[in-house]
């Protein structure tokens, strides 16, 4: 039992050294941010962030969130591309059908046929625009939800500056904090700390 406090003290010293190292690195990295954001990142905020980063768990959480975001973006992009392909196929099929109809049309029906075909083309264009608009709304809603999920996860992990918000300035601040975390993670992995 006599050795226990010494082990705890050594561990505490090691954590304190790591905290100072992380804080120093964060202070250096903050200098690359726009001055308006530098002013909002107080010493206490950076110190709290350094404390949250000590054991590396936050790095793993951020990397996991980034992976999920990339997969979501890729999936949504593929869905939109699929819809675009379907629309192109519909347009090509309509053009082919219209061309065939024109070739077999009697001259006295030509004006009526062209009028009907133009109405079909316009109806398809309206349908395509509406489906694209709905897909884009779905994409925006899904990405907004992903941001909320990320904010919630990082807040629960105790990362300072993270909470659910839609305020553009706060979102930019959170993105800057994430950038700091990612740059510090990259620096540590390159230097062998992680």
């Amino acid at each position: 039992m006599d050795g226990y406090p010494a082990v705890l003290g050594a561990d505490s010293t090691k954590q304190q050294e790591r905290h100072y190292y992380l804080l120093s690195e964060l202070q250096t990295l903050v200098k690359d941010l726009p001055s308006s954001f530098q002013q909002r990142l107080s010493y206490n905020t950076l110190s709290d962030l350094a404390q949250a980063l000590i054991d590396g768990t936050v790095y793993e959480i951020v990397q996991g969130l980034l992976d999920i975001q990339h997969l979501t973006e890729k999936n949504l992009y593929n869905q939109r591309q699929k819809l675009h392909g379907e629309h192109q196929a519909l347009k090509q099929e309509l053009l082919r059908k219209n061309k065939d109809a024109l070739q077999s049309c009697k001259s006295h029906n030509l004006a009526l046929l062209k009028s009907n075909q133009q109405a079909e083309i316009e109806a398809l264009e309206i349908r395509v625009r509406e489906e694209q608009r709905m897909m884009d709304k779905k994409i925006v809603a899904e990405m907004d939800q992903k941001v909320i999920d990320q904010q919630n996860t990082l807040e629960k992990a105790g990362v300072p500056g993270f909470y659910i918000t839609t305020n553009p300035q706060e979102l930019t601040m959170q993105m800057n904090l994430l950038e700091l975390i990612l740059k510090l993670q990259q620096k540590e992995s390159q230097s062998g700390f992680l």
Side-chain angles (χ1 to χ4, degrees), residues 30 32 36 40-41 45 54 59 62 73 75 82 96 106 118 130 161 166-167 178 182 184:
V30 162
D32 294 336
S36 59
R40 291 189 57 203
L41 290 172
T45 302
I54 284 179
Y59 291 144
V62 168
E73 288 169 352
N75 182 37
K82 181 181 176 207
R96 187 197 57 74
K106 306 284 186 227
Q118 187 60 37
E130 183 60 20
T166 56
N167 179 316
L178 278 174
L182 290 169
L184 189 53

Side-chain angles (χ1 to χ4, degrees), residues 3-17:
Y4 185 73
V7 170
L8 191 61
D11 213 29
S12 175
T13 301
K14 203 172 185 181
Q15 274 199 333
Q16 196 171 26
E17 286 172 4

Side-chain angles (χ1 to χ4, degrees), residues 7-133:
V7 170
L8 191 61
D11 213 29
S12 175
T13 301
K14 203 172 185 181
Q15 274 199 333
Q16 196 171 26
E17 286 172 4
R18 178 142 172 79
H19 179 261
Y20 287 137
Y21 164 77
L22 291 169
L23 179 57
S24 173
E25 292 296 321
L26 285 169
Q27 287 172 322
T28 301
L29 290 171
V30 162
K31 293 175 185 169
D32 294 336
L33 294 176
S35 60
S36 59
F37 291 107
Q38 288 180 32
Q39 294 167 2
R40 291 189 57 203
L41 290 172
S42 68
Y43 175 86
N44 288 340
T45 302
L46 292 176
S47 180
D48 291 347
L49 181 56
Q51 188 66 42
L53 296 173
I54 284 179
D55 70 356
T57 304
V58 171
Y59 291 144
E60 293 173 20
I61 292 169
V62 168
Q63 194 57 56
L65 292 173
L66 203 53
D67 292 345
I68 291 168
Q69 180 178 329
H70 288 154
L71 287 172
T72 302
E73 288 169 352
K74 185 176 181 180
N75 182 37
L76 292 171
Y77 174 79
N78 288 338
Q79 286 179 33
R80 195 169 196 295
Q81 287 300 100
K82 181 181 176 207
L83 181 65
H84 180 71
E86 290 169 2
H87 289 157
Q88 290 300 104
L90 286 171
K91 287 177 184 178
Q92 290 301 317
E93 177 58 26
L94 183 58
L95 289 174
R96 187 197 57 74
K97 185 185 110 192
N98 287 351
K99 183 179 175 186
D100 291 348
L102 280 172
Q103 288 175 344
S104 63
C105 180
K106 306 284 186 227
S107 60
H108 64 278
N109 290 333
L110 194 57
L112 179 61
L113 178 66
K114 283 185 176 182
S115 173
N116 288 343
Q117 287 180 342
Q118 187 60 37
E120 282 181 329
I121 290 170
E122 289 171 7
L124 180 61
E125 287 174 353
I126 290 169
R127 174 183 162 193
V128 164
R129 273 195 307 272
E130 183 60 20
E131 287 178 3
Q132 285 176 338
R133 189 182 68 75

